[in-house]
Amino acid sequence: MNALIISDNITKNTIGFADRDLRASLLHTCTPFKIFVLDKNDRGNTNKAILCVYLHWEEIGEVDEDYAPIHTYQVCRVMEQNQNNWLYTNWILTEGAQRVYIELKFTLRDCNSLPGGVGTCKETFNMVLKENRYIKVDTIAADESFTELDLGDRVMKLNTEVRDLGPLTHKGFYLAFQDLGACIALVSVRVFYKRCPFLVKSLAEFPDTIPGSEASQLVEVVGHCVNNSLPLYEPPRMHCSTEGEWLVPIGKCVCKPGYEEISGACQVCKVGFYRSLLESPGCSKCPPHSVARQTGATVCTCEDGYYKIESDPSNMACTRPPSAPRNAISNVNETSVFLEWSIPLETGGRKDIRYNILCRQVLPEGRGLDECGPNVRFLPRRVALSNTSVMVADLQSHTNYSFLLEAVNGVSELAKDHPKQYVSLNVTTNQAVSVVRKGHTGKSSIALSWAEPDRPNGIILEYEIKYFEKEQDSSYTIIKSKDTEMVVEGLKPSSVYIFQVRARTSAGYGAFSRRFEFQTSPYLAITLALVLLAVVAGFLLSGRRCGYSKAKQDPEEEKMHFHNVKFPGVRTYIDPLTYEDPNQAVHEFAQEIDVSSISIERIIGAGEFGEVCCGPLRLPGKREIQVAIKTLKVGYTEQQRRDFLWEASIMGQFNHPNIIRLEGVVTKSKPVMIITEYMENGSLDTFLKKNDGQFTVIQLVGMLRGIASGMRYLSDMGYVHRDLAARNILVNGNLVCKVSDFGLSRVLEDDPEAAYTTRGGKIPIRWTAPEAIAYRKFTSASDVWSYGIVMWEVMSYGERPYWEMSNQDVIKAVEESYRLPGPMDCPEALYHLMMDCWQHERTNRPKFDEIVCLLDKLIRNPSSLKKLVNSSHRYEGKSGSAFTLICIAVLLFRTSFQTKQQL
Ligand code: ACK
C-alpha cells in the first residue's frame, strides 16, 4: 500500500516525556502520568506519536485471543456521572502530507450487558484533532460491542474504524480521544498518509510524491529523463492521485542517438553499431560499405569510394556510381535515330539510375566533333532518362554523329574522383523515301509513286526502285527513275512483290525505304471464280436478320481487303440515336428485370454514374448466376439517365463470348440498374499488374486472341469502340477477356485517360490512332491501332504506354514515327503485329480478322513464339498486309462459318 505510517500500534517501548509545547498545553488541561513513544514509521524515522494518558485512562498490558501480549489504553467509568476523560497523542509530524488517515482498533462494552444501574453508560467516544485549535473529527461508535459473556469466552470483538483528516495546514497535529462514560479499550492507533512512490517509467524518473488534499485531485509531476535519454516530443508527465496511485502517463523519454534502451537504462552502441533516430528501437549494425569505429555512433561513415546522399535512409548501404550502359545499339530511320541500351552491369547498389545522352556531330574532313545544336530533339528528353531508350530526331541527313551514353545515379555528383563511364555509338543518318504508294494494278504491272524525301542532302538526281517476288529475295531487280512515279512491268499475275525506293543526290545514295508489298491482279478467270464463290457463299449462308442495314465500309478498305467484303445478312449494329425515344431503344435491346430477382451483396467499384456492385440474379426458370450491377446514383438528371442506359442499348445488341453480356436493365424501380455477367478478375490492366510475370506466353496470346475476336465481332457489326484499352477489358475466372465499356462520346467523357484535344472532344491520346486524334477519323482501323496498344499493355503486364511522357510528346513522337519498343520477353511475332497495328497509313493496318487468324496460327504453333523481340527488331516498320494472303482462305471460311452460326 502506498501509505506512509506516521505512528503505529501502541507499544511500550520507551518511557519519555512529551515535548515542551505539548506539556505546556497539557499542564492546564490534564496531568499526564504516562507517555509512550509509538512505532517507527516505515522510513526509519522515529515519530514521536506519544499518548498522554490522563484522568482515568489506564495503560494496561493484556493478551489477545491467541494469548499474544497486547498493550491497551482503557477507561471504564460507566457507573459514575459526568465523565470527561481524555487521552492525547503528542505532536505528530505530517511530513508534508495534507491528508492523513487514522485507523483505530478498539473494543467497547455493551451497556445493556452491564449489571445494575447503567444510567450514565455510553457506547461511543470522540476523536478530536488539534492543529491550532481543537476540532472534533467524529464520534466513534462500535460496530460490535462486547458483553460479560465475551469476556468469559475471551472473545475480543475488535472494532476497526478509519477516518481521514484534511486538508491539514500545519506541519503537525495532536490527536485526542474523549471518553464521556463508556467502557473502552483502545488497542491501536495508526496514523498514516498515502503517497505515490518513486517510479521509473519509460526512461523517466518520477519522485516520491504526496497527493493533493482534495479527494479526486491529481497532482501533475514532470518526470526527469534518465541518463543519456531525452524527452521525445515533450517532457514526460504523470499524475499522482489521492489514493497514492500514478495515473495518466503523458510523453516519454528515449535514449539519445548512439544509445539504446536495455533494462530501463540507456546503454552506448558498440563499435560497428549505430543508432541515428530517436524513434528507432535499438543500435543497428552499420549497413554494407560503412563503418562505426567508436562506440556511441549516431551514423556510420562510408568506406572510401562509397557515398550516401541526404535523402538515403540511414539503414541504406553506402553506394557508388554505376558503370557504363551496355549493349548500346542504334537504329537509324532517315534523320532520326533510336538509341537503346541495357542497364549497367554495376548499378552501384542504387535503384535511381538515370541516363544522359551527349550528342556530337562528326565534322567532315577530320575537323573533330561539335556538340549537337538545340534543334536536335530528344524524346522523351536528353538527360535523366529513366528508360533505356531514346529517340533522337531532327538530325542532319547523311551526317555522322557520335553519341555518348552515360549512366548516373544519386551519388554520381558526390563521386568527383570516380571517372565517368560512357559507352559511345557512332551513327550515320540517311534520308529515305518514307512511303511508296500503289497506283493502277494490272495482272503484270503495278504503278508506283512516292514523295521526295523531306530534307535530302543536295539535289536529287534520280531514284532507284528495287523489287523482287516475295520470299524470293535472293534475286532482285533494280530500275531507275528520274521522277517520283513509275510503272513496274513484267510481273507475274496474282503474285506479291516487295518494293523499295531510294534517292541519289550528289552526296551519294540515301537508304532504301522500308519494304512495301503489293500484289498484281489475278487472271480474269480467277477473279471471276473468287467473286462467284464469295457471292454464292454469302447467299447460301445469309441470315434471317437481314432487315438490319449493312455497315458502311471505308471504300479504301474494301479495295485493299477482299476478304472483308460484307455478305448480305450479317447482323449490323444499330445506333440507339436513330430511336426518337431512348427508352424504346433500351427496351428493344435489353430485357427489363424485376428488382426482386437481384440481391446486391457487395460493392466492387465506382463508375461514373454510381457504384458497381455484384450479387446473384435469380430469374424465374433459370439457374442462379452471379452478376455485376451498375447503379445510377440518386438525384440524376434525365440526360444522365439516358446516357447511363445508352450503354445497355448498345451492349444488348451484342452476343459474343468476348463481349460483356448484358443480362438486362432495371428501369421500373429505383435505383436504375444495368445488369451484366460478373467477371471475377475485374479489369485487365489491374489484373495484369497484380499478376506481373505470372502467365505463360500462350496464356497471354490466348487473352489477346479473345480481345481480337470480340473486336472482330464488333467491327463486323459496324461498331467502332473508340476507347479500346486494357482498362476497358474485363477478365473472368477462366482468364477469358471480354470487351466492355460501350457508348459513344460518353465513354470518352468518363475515361480518366481521355484528354481534350485542340479540336475539342476528349480522346485517350495514348491509345488513339493519329488520324483519330488529328481529325476525329474513328474507324475499325483506329480500333486496330488501339488494339496494338492493348497488346503492348498485355505483353508488358499493364505498363503505362509511353510511360511518363506527356500527351503532347506522345502525339509528337508518334507523328515522327516513334513507336513503343517491344516489351521485355515479348515474342517477335507479336511485336511485329503491334507494329503493324501502328502503321501510320490506316489502310496498311491489319484487320481484326487477320489479327485473329494470325494469333490462332501462333497458338497452334507455339515454337513461332520462341523468338523473342530483339533490340535490332524493336524499331522496324513492316508492311501491313504481310500475312494477308496466308489468311485469305481461312477468313473466307470463317466468315461463312460465322454467318452460318448466326442463322
Ligand atoms: O478493376 P475492377 O475490379 O473491375 O474495378 C472496376 C469497377 O467495377 C468499376 O468499373 C469492376 N467491374 C465493372 N464491371 C464488372 C463486371 N461485369 N464484373 C466484375 N467487375 C466489374 C471493374
Side-chain angles (χ1 to χ4, degrees):
M1 155 154 157
N2 298 326
L4 181 61
I5 296 165
I6 301 174
S7 66
D8 210 333
N9 286 359
I10 304 165
T11 52
K12 193 178 176 183
N13 284 345
T14 322
I15 297 177
F17 295 96
D19 60 86
R20 194 172 306 221
D21 290 352
L22 177 61
R23 237 185 312 152
S25 67
L26 291 177
L27 277 174
H28 63 273
T29 53
C30 73
T31 309
F33 64 88
K34 277 186 185 162
I35 298 163
F36 296 96
V37 176
L38 298 188
D39 238 350
K40 289 178 172 183
N41 66 31
D42 63 356
R43 285 208 286 165
N45 300 328
T46 302
N47 223 314
K48 289 182 191 163
I50 302 166
L51 287 175
C52 151
V53 181
Y54 166 67
L55 203 60
H56 307 307
W57 281 88
E58 292 177 89
E59 186 246 326
I60 296 175
E62 284 209 39
V63 287
D64 65 10
E65 295 137 304
D66 305 323
Y67 295 96
I70 53 169
H71 201 74
T72 66
Y73 284 90
Q74 297 189 4
V75 63
C76 192
R77 299 180 68 83
V78 291
M79 297 304 175
E80 289 155 57
Q81 300 283 336
N82 302 326
Q83 293 301 304
N84 189 8
N85 306 312
W86 288 79
L87 179 66
Y88 288 90
T89 69
N90 81 329
W91 176 246
I92 302 170
L93 283 170
T94 61
E95 300 184 345
Q98 291 173 305
R99 179 167 293 275
V100 298
Y101 298 80
I102 319 293
E103 182 202 76
L104 304 176
K105 289 197 171 159
F106 61 95
T107 61
L108 210 129
R109 178 74 185 248
D110 179 357
C111 285
N112 290 328
S113 75
L114 286 170
V118 290
T120 61
C121 179
K122 298 272 184 316
E123 291 186 351
T124 59
F125 63 97
N126 294 328
M127 182 161 74
V128 176
L129 162 77
K130 180 179 179 260
E131 285 193 289
N132 51 352
R133 59 195 176 91
Y134 287 92
I135 298 167
K136 181 173 150 191
V137 176
D138 206 356
T139 298
I140 313 283
D143 292 334
E144 287 197 275
S145 46
F146 68 90
T147 61
E148 194 70 36
L149 227 56
D150 299 322
L151 279 177
D153 295 346
R154 297 198 48 76
V155 175
M156 269 286 268
K157 291 211 168 160
L158 199 61
N159 294 283
T160 304
E161 293 289 328
V162 179
R163 297 290 181 276
D164 61 330
L165 312 176
L168 298 176
T169 50
H170 289 61
K171 281 187 184 163
F173 59 90
Y174 303 102
L175 280 180
F177 305 98
Q178 182 190 25
D179 164 50
L180 296 168
C183 191
I184 317 162
L186 197 54
V187 177
S188 85
V189 179
R190 295 175 79 221
V191 183
F192 59 89
Y193 62 88
K194 294 180 180 177
R195 68 196 167 94
C196 297
F198 173 81
L199 172 77
V200 180
K201 187 177 166 66
S202 304
L203 295 178
E205 290 176 346
F206 295 90
D208 204 72
T209 301
I210 296 170
S213 57
E214 301 298 332
S216 78
Q217 182 184 349
L218 291 180
V219 176
E220 187 183 88
V221 181
V222 177
H224 171 75
C225 289
V226 301
N227 272 352
N228 297 315
S229 71
L230 300 167
L232 183 68
Y233 312 128
E234 57 175 321
R237 281 173 290 146
M238 288 275 263
H239 297 85
C240 179
S241 76
T242 42
E243 285 307 305
E245 285 167 328
W246 286 112
L247 302 174
V248 207
I250 297 171
K252 63 174 187 171
C253 301
V254 288
C255 292
K256 291 199 286 201
Y259 291 80
E260 64 185 335
E261 184 181 344
I262 297 177
S263 316
C266 291
Q267 315 246 334
V268 71
C269 294
K270 290 184 284 184
V271 169
F273 287 77
Y274 77 106
R275 185 167 158 272
S276 56
L277 302 172
L278 289 181
E279 290 86 352
S280 55
C283 301
S284 313
K285 205 168 178 336
C286 285
H289 305 299
S290 67
V291 286
R293 295 200 170 87
Q294 315 231 297
T295 58
T298 56
V299 285
C300 300
T301 44
C302 289
E303 288 169 4
D304 280 353
Y306 287 87
Y307 308 88
K308 226 170 201 191
I309 50 173
E310 237 171 64
S311 55
D312 286 349
S314 60
N315 59 356
M316 183 173 151
C318 291
T319 53
R320 52 183 176 175
S323 55
R326 292 172 304 145
N327 309 330
I329 53 143
S330 61
N331 218 312
V332 180
N333 185 5
E334 304 183 5
T335 54
S336 302
V337 181
F338 183 71
L339 303 176
E340 207 180 9
W341 56 91
S342 315
I343 57 167
L345 203 55
E346 169 61 75
T347 60
R350 304 186 66 90
K351 293 208 171 97
D352 54 357
I353 294 201
R354 296 284 179 273
Y355 304 96
N356 300 330
I357 314 293
L358 185 64
C359 169
R360 290 169 310 167
Q361 187 182 338
V362 181
L363 300 175
E365 293 145 20
R367 283 189 282 123
L369 298 163
D370 197 8
E371 285 223 0
C372 299
N375 293 339
V376 174
R377 285 191 304 126
F378 294 81
L379 290 168
R381 61 187 159 274
R382 190 182 71 79
V383 291
L385 291 160
S386 49
N387 292 313
T388 54
S389 61
V390 69
M391 168 91 167
V392 189
D394 294 349
L395 295 165
Q396 291 187 27
S397 61
H398 294 286
T399 307
N400 291 330
Y401 285 91
S402 162
F403 291 98
L404 294 183
L405 316 184
E406 178 200 20
V408 291
N409 64 16
V411 297
S412 294
E413 282 282 293
L414 300 175
K416 297 271 183 261
D417 315 338
H418 192 91
K420 287 200 169 185
Q421 296 193 33
Y422 296 103
V423 62
S424 82
L425 267 178
N426 293 326
V427 165
T428 306
T429 54
N430 53 44
Q431 177 71 42
V433 170
S434 56
V435 180
V436 178
R437 288 197 180 75
K438 185 177 72 158
H440 174 78
T441 309
K443 56 184 190 303
S444 61
S445 65
I446 294 178
L448 301 176
S449 63
W450 55 89
E452 191 177 277
D454 272 354
R455 277 161 303 189
N457 190 15
I459 297 164
I460 294 175
L461 303 174
E462 62 179 2
Y463 293 96
E464 263 191 13
I465 300 99
K466 173 179 166 182
Y467 67 94
F468 52 88
E469 198 177 342
K470 194 173 176 193
E471 275 147 26
Q472 314 271 313
D473 48 355
S474 52
S475 73
Y476 56 84
T477 311
I478 287 190
I479 49 177
K480 295 186 191 245
S481 163
K482 294 237 181 275
D483 224 338
T484 55
E485 58 185 23
M486 91 168 305
V487 179
V488 183
E489 292 182 317
L491 306 175
K492 287 195 220 158
S494 206
S495 303
V496 178
Y497 282 86
I498 309 288
F499 297 91
Q500 287 178 283
V501 179
R502 69 175 176 180
R504 184 167 73 85
T505 65
S506 52
Y509 281 108
F512 269 117
S513 69
R514 61 182 173 77
R515 295 168 167 210
F516 289 83
E517 286 187 21
F518 301 120
Q519 190 179 2
T520 49
S521 306
Y523 284 122
L524 195 58
I526 299 175
T527 317
L528 278 177
L530 275 176
V531 170
L532 207 61
L533 177 68
V535 171
V536 169
F539 274 109
L540 280 178
L541 302 169
S542 61
R544 274 189 300 241
R545 313 193 70 150
C546 46
Y548 292 111
S549 68
K550 197 159 81 74
K552 205 169 174 326
Q553 272 281 120
D554 188 324
E556 248 174 304
E557 286 172 21
E558 269 178 324
K559 190 167 61 192
M560 294 283 293
H561 296 274
F562 172 71
H563 54 268
N564 223 20
V565 170
K566 297 251 174 188
F567 294 98
V570 174
R571 192 181 155 184
T572 307
Y573 155 77
I574 298 173
D575 186 343
L577 267 183
T578 53
Y579 285 76
E580 248 172 51
D581 175 8
N583 276 320
Q584 196 200 338
V586 176
H587 289 106
E588 176 88 26
F589 301 117
Q591 179 195 356
E592 178 73 25
I593 291 180
D594 193 279
V595 75
S596 63
S597 321
I598 308 158
S599 23
I600 293 184
E601 270 176 355
R602 66 193 162 85
I603 298 176
I604 51 177
E608 161 74 0
F609 289 99
E611 281 142 354
V612 184
C613 313
C614 76
L617 168 72
R618 284 177 220 92
L619 286 178
K622 287 198 177 167
R623 73 182 169 86
E624 179 181 301
I625 55 164
Q626 196 70 8
V627 288
I629 305 145
K630 280 192 181 181
T631 57
L632 175 60
K633 60 190 165 213
V634 286
Y636 53 82
T637 60
E638 192 44 40
Q639 182 62 41
Q640 282 172 322
R641 182 180 187 273
R642 218 173 294 146
D643 288 351
F644 177 71
L645 290 173
W646 184 278
E647 184 172 17
S649 313
I650 295 169
M651 223 191 295
Q653 300 187 40
F654 305 139
N655 176 17
H656 187 273
N658 296 104
I659 305 290
I660 194 84
R661 189 181 65 251
L662 178 74
E663 295 296 342
V665 289
V666 177
T667 61
K668 303 243 154 82
S669 60
K670 285 185 183 166
V672 175
M673 302 177 197
I674 296 178
I675 318 294
T676 64
E677 66 181 306
Y678 177 64
M679 300 292 282
E680 291 84 343
N681 283 316
S683 57
L684 178 61
D685 62 334
T686 326
F687 176 64
L688 288 169
K689 280 179 211 151
K690 257 193 252 161
N691 296 286
D692 193 358
Q694 299 300 304
F695 301 117
T696 61
V697 170
I698 288 290
Q699 279 175 310
L700 296 176
V701 178
M703 293 182 206
L704 290 174
R705 198 265 175 210
I707 302 166
S709 170
M711 289 308 297
R712 175 178 64 184
Y713 174 82
L714 293 182
S715 71
D716 284 354
M717 290 274 287
Y719 178 80
V720 179
H721 191 289
R722 295 177 175 221
D723 197 11
L724 177 60
R727 65 184 168 280
N728 290 332
I729 304 291
L730 290 167
V731 189
N732 75 8
N734 298 323
L735 291 194
V736 175
C737 290
K738 306 200 181 196
V739 180
S740 82
D741 268 70
F742 299 98
L744 274 163
S745 52
R746 186 194 65 69
V747 173
L748 301 176
E749 293 300 325
D750 297 352
D751 188 340
E753 279 295 349
Y756 284 98
T757 60
T758 44
R759 293 168 60 95
K762 261 179 138 186
I763 287 180
I765 301 292
R766 285 154 212 273
W767 282 263
T768 306
E771 73 278 5
I773 296 175
Y775 49 98
R776 300 188 70 81
K777 178 81 186 161
F778 285 98
T779 57
S780 289
S782 63
D783 276 352
V784 165
W785 178 290
S786 313
Y787 178 80
I789 304 286
V790 172
M791 285 187 75
W792 191 90
E793 289 183 277
V794 169
M795 297 316 292
S796 57
Y797 280 95
E799 180 66 85
R800 181 169 166 74
Y802 309 96
W803 306 277
E804 75 275 30
M805 278 170 74
S806 69
N807 280 342
Q808 273 319 309
D809 282 348
V810 170
I811 294 174
K812 224 185 291 168
V814 168
E815 275 303 329
E816 280 162 4
S817 310
Y818 172 81
R819 295 293 183 266
L820 284 166
M824 203 140 74
D825 298 335
C826 175
E828 196 180 66
L830 293 178
Y831 185 54
H832 276 166
L833 178 56
M834 290 177 210
M835 290 296 282
D836 283 334
C837 294
W838 303 328
Q839 291 278 355
H840 190 271
E841 178 59 45
R842 86 190 127 91
T843 53
N844 284 344
R845 293 173 205 154
K847 302 289 175 283
F848 279 115
D849 37 17
E850 291 174 306
I851 295 174
V852 175
C853 170
L854 178 75
L855 294 177
D856 281 343
K857 234 179 98 197
L858 296 176
I859 293 170
R860 276 197 304 272
N861 180 16
S863 63
S864 58
L865 294 163
K866 285 246 163 62
K867 189 165 181 211
L868 299 186
V869 71
N870 124 0
S871 20
S872 61
H873 286 91
R874 277 185 173 197
Y875 197 63
E876 205 177 52
K878 181 172 171 290
S879 156
S881 48
F883 41 78
T884 309
L885 279 177
I886 308 167
C887 294
I888 272 194
V890 181
L891 291 172
L892 268 172
F893 175 71
R894 187 198 68 75
T895 314
S896 316
F897 181 67
Q898 188 196 28
T899 318
K900 193 171 181 185
Q901 277 196 322
Q902 285 172 353
L903 289 176

